[in-house]
Amino acid sequence: MDPDAEIDHEGPVPVFRQLVEILRARIDRGDWQPNRPIPSEAQLVQTYGIARETVRKAIRVLVDDGVVFVVHGRGTFVSHPDIQGEQAD
Amino acid sequence: MDPDAEIDHEGPVPVFRQLVEILRARIDRGDWQPNRPIPSEAQLVQTYGIARETVRKAIRVLVDDGVVFVVHGRGTFVSHPDIQGEQAD
DNA sequence: ATAGATTTGTTCGTATGTATA
DNA sequence: GTATACATACGAACAAATCTA
């Protein structure tokens, strides 16, 4: 997925799925380093012109995949690479 | 109605009607006291494995019947017993 | 220690599209 | 055509945790 892709509100792919792939691609590209925060929910809302609920839905997927972790009141951070893809069975 | 009944997706009774009766039974049984919140819409969605719209439809019926009242951003609360069954004609 | 701003967490409000009976 | 049900999406209000000044 192109990390610089824009959200397509018309197509069949849900907006939150698109955001998941965009953020994943940006993390892969190194936009944000491990243990560093990605943009806040409010910033992602602005950047991509989508609703907060949709941003949070995408982040929930990335958390489940171990790509990022969230800290209440602080932000959402890129996980350590050595931990990714090791959970679940 | 059995307050511990489960939703039947096959039968002829609409899901939201079933939920109305289940919640009514649970309130009658005292699962939640007057002025105390019942589970959130999201929790009811999870507990009963149904869609949010369906939960809201059921709650709307209970509100119309004066069994519960809703506060935006806070939750849905059990009405005072002394008020129930007094409205409408 | 207080106050305010930032950020995530939780909750209800509304609307649209799709599918099914 | 109508009613039911689900998924998605955007809005709005309030709460809790964190940080800064």
Side-chain angles (χ1 to χ4, degrees):
Chain A
M1 160 68 99
D2 173 15
D4 295 315
E6 290 180 6
I7 300 293
D8 171 20
H9 284 263
E10 309 309 323
V13 181
V15 174
F16 79 91
R17 287 282 169 202
Q18 297 179 50
L19 183 57
V20 165
E21 296 313 319
I22 290 174
L23 291 179
R24 217 195 284 277
R26 294 190 64 182
I27 291 172
D28 283 348
R29 181 221 256 163
D31 280 19
W32 313 290
Q33 296 302 312
N35 255 331
R36 304 290 305 172
I38 71 174
S40 71
E41 292 175 0
Q43 280 178 313
L44 292 173
V45 163
Q46 272 217 336
T47 301
Y48 294 100
I50 60 183
R52 187 186 169 203
E53 187 206 73
T54 307
V55 167
R56 287 175 59 77
K57 209 165 180 176
I59 290 176
R60 217 174 302 139
V61 172
L62 293 173
V63 168
D64 288 347
D65 286 359
V67 176
V68 300
F69 61 95
V70 181
V71 183
H72 186 186
R74 303 229 340 173
T76 301
F77 303 81
V78 178
S79 300
H80 299 123
D82 26 301
I83 297 180
Q84 283 184 39
E86 292 194 12
Q87 43 276 90
D89 53 313
Chain B
M1 160 69 99
D2 174 15
D4 296 315
E6 290 180 5
I7 299 294
D8 172 21
H9 284 265
E10 310 309 323
V13 182
V15 174
F16 80 92
R17 287 284 170 201
Q18 296 179 50
L19 183 57
V20 166
E21 295 314 318
I22 289 174
L23 291 179
R24 216 193 286 277
R26 293 190 64 182
I27 290 171
D28 284 349
R29 180 220 259 161
D31 280 19
W32 314 289
Q33 296 302 312
N35 254 332
R36 305 290 306 172
I38 70 172
S40 70
E41 293 175 358
Q43 280 178 312
L44 292 173
V45 164
Q46 272 215 336
T47 300
Y48 294 101
I50 60 183
R52 188 187 168 203
E53 190 206 71
T54 307
V55 168
R56 287 176 58 76
K57 211 163 179 177
I59 290 177
R60 216 175 303 139
V61 172
L62 293 174
V63 168
D64 288 347
D65 286 358
V67 177
V68 300
F69 61 96
V70 182
V71 183
H72 185 187
R74 305 258 333 239
T76 301
F77 303 81
V78 178
S79 300
H80 299 123
D82 26 298
I83 297 183
Q84 282 184 43
E86 291 195 13
Q87 44 275 89
D89 52 315

